[in-house]
Amino acid sequence: MSRLASAASAVRSRWSRILGSATALTIVLAVGGAAVTPPQAARAASCKAETCEGKWAGDAGCLADKVVADDQRILVESPEDSVKLLEGTSTLYYSPSCQSTWTDWLITFDETYWEVEFQFWELTQYGANEMRKPAAQSPLFPDAYVNYTTAGVNLWRSAMTDWNKSVRACWYVVGSGDPPTPNNDPDEQLECTKWN
């Protein structure tokens, strides 16, 4: 046994008596420079199809089996010289276990002070195909319901909806006037995925 392996074994033995085996494993694996923690069990899905409507994918255990259904590049360039000002992705996901869909928007490059807004739209399954934005309870303001919220650094996530509905993810740079919608965008501000 090498000296490093022997030392690691001694540290693991000592720390496992003090902290428990999972914590000791994390400490021993951190000796190489980067801490590695044991994988956590995926949260079981707590909703399915229409019962996921208006919930957050992470809270409902729907992230573990997410599948990309559609994605779109977010890109804003300077009209004068085509220099990149803003870049990211708009990714539509679905979860087979939850039978639900949502969108993540990730901004990977931002050289602006512009406010970017996101929209997640659904068409109702029956009747007149009304278009609406699903909403979930705000994690920041419990009395408010929102179409999307932050889900990490430069990452935003929409509320979920049943995957039997047609959905579309959109984004735009905020300007003056009313927010655009897929049916009312006279200034052609809105960039959207196709209906899925």
Side-chain angles (χ1 to χ4, degrees), residues 129-194:
N129 276 342
E130 286 183 76
M131 191 172 63
R132 70 177 199 89
K133 295 192 284 187
Q137 190 171 17
S138 169
L140 301 175
F141 306 101
D143 294 336
Y145 283 78
V146 293
N147 183 240
Y148 69 92
T149 190
T150 60
V153 176
N154 297 324
L155 176 66
W156 291 265
R157 179 168 293 136
S158 75
M160 291 193 298
T161 192
D162 182 346
W163 73 356
N164 288 317
K165 297 178 180 172
S166 292
V167 293
R168 185 178 211 183
C170 303
W171 65 273
Y172 67 99
V173 175
V174 175
S176 60
D178 293 330
T181 68
N183 292 342
N184 184 18
D185 187 16
D187 297 328
E188 297 181 358
Q189 297 174 280
L190 208 55
E191 298 286 335
C192 299
T193 62
K194 65 185 184 300

Side-chain angles (χ1 to χ4, degrees), residues 5 20 23 30 36 43-44 46 50 58 61 78 85-86 99 106 117 123 125-126 129 134 143 151 157 175 179 189 191:
T23 306
V36 178
R43 180 186 293 190
S46 64
E50 65 276 350
S78 167
L85 301 174
L86 180 76
Q99 296 181 3
L106 177 64
E117 283 289 322
L123 287 175
Q125 195 172 7
Y126 305 106
N129 276 342
D143 294 336
R157 179 168 293 136
Q189 297 174 280
E191 298 286 335

Side-chain angles (χ1 to χ4, degrees), residues 52-72:
C52 288
E53 180 86 28
K55 294 187 177 175
W56 301 113
D59 294 344
C62 301
L63 295 177
D65 68 341
K66 69 183 179 183
V67 177
V68 174
D70 195 3
D71 64 347
Q72 177 190 42

Side-chain angles (χ1 to χ4, degrees), residues 12 80 85 95 116 137 174 186:
R12 183 175 49 243
E80 293 89 33
L85 301 174
S95 163
V116 179
Q137 190 171 17
V174 175

Side-chain angles (χ1 to χ4, degrees), residues 39-115:
Q40 297 179 4
R43 180 186 293 190
S46 64
C47 62
K48 194 169 197 172
E50 65 276 350
T51 64
C52 288
E53 180 86 28
K55 294 187 177 175
W56 301 113
D59 294 344
C62 301
L63 295 177
D65 68 341
K66 69 183 179 183
V67 177
V68 174
D70 195 3
D71 64 347
Q72 177 190 42
R73 182 177 183 199
I74 295 173
L75 179 65
V76 177
E77 294 178 327
S78 167
E80 293 89 33
D81 54 10
S82 297
V83 170
K84 178 173 59 174
L85 301 174
L86 180 76
E87 186 174 32
T89 55
S90 173
T91 307
L92 178 66
Y93 290 104
Y94 77 92
S95 163
S97 63
C98 292
Q99 296 181 3
S100 294
T101 185
W102 69 92
T103 296
D104 280 0
W105 296 275
L106 177 64
I107 301 300
T108 55
F109 181 84
D110 187 359
E111 289 292 315
T112 72
Y113 293 101
W114 298 334
E115 183 180 351

